[in-house]
């Protein structure tokens, strides 16, 4: 299991957020605008299929783990 997946799951348990909310918050944090719905659904699908290579998510979760 990747470090990113462990960090995201830990963040989700701590905040009560699901992957959809975490992805949306991460995208907004990086780009300053809401993520397009179709892109959000695609990234949720990618995450649920086991893919962890989502750069904006990595930046967000590593920042939140530092606190």
């Amino acid at each position: 299991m990747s470090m990113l997946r462990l960090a995201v799951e830990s963040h989700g348990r701590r905040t009560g957020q699901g992957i959809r909310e975490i992805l949306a918050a991460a995208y907004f944090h990086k780009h300053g605008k809401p993520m397009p719905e179709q892109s959000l659904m695609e990234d949720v699908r990618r995450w649920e299929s086991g893919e962890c290579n989502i750069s904006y998510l990595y930046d967000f979760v590593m920042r939140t783990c530092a606190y």
Side-chain angles (χ1 to χ4, degrees):
M1 186 173 284
S2 78
M3 293 289 287
L4 178 61
R5 187 166 287 275
L6 290 171
V8 167
E9 290 174 357
S10 175
H11 179 76
R13 282 190 301 274
R14 190 174 68 246
T15 62
Q17 294 178 316
I19 189 60
R20 180 180 170 80
E21 292 83 10
I22 295 171
L23 287 168
Y27 185 90
F28 189 86
H29 176 73
K30 179 148 187 155
H31 299 287
K33 61 183 179 180
M35 185 173 196
E37 185 65 27
Q38 188 171 350
S39 297
L40 178 58
M41 293 309 298
E42 177 61 23
D43 283 353
V44 168
R45 185 200 61 74
R46 288 173 49 208
W47 179 264
E48 290 175 346
S49 69
E51 187 175 338
C52 297
N53 189 19
I54 303 173
S55 64
Y56 65 89
L57 181 59
Y58 180 84
D59 295 341
F60 178 74
V61 171
M62 291 303 130
R63 178 192 60 82
T64 60
C65 288
Y67 296 109

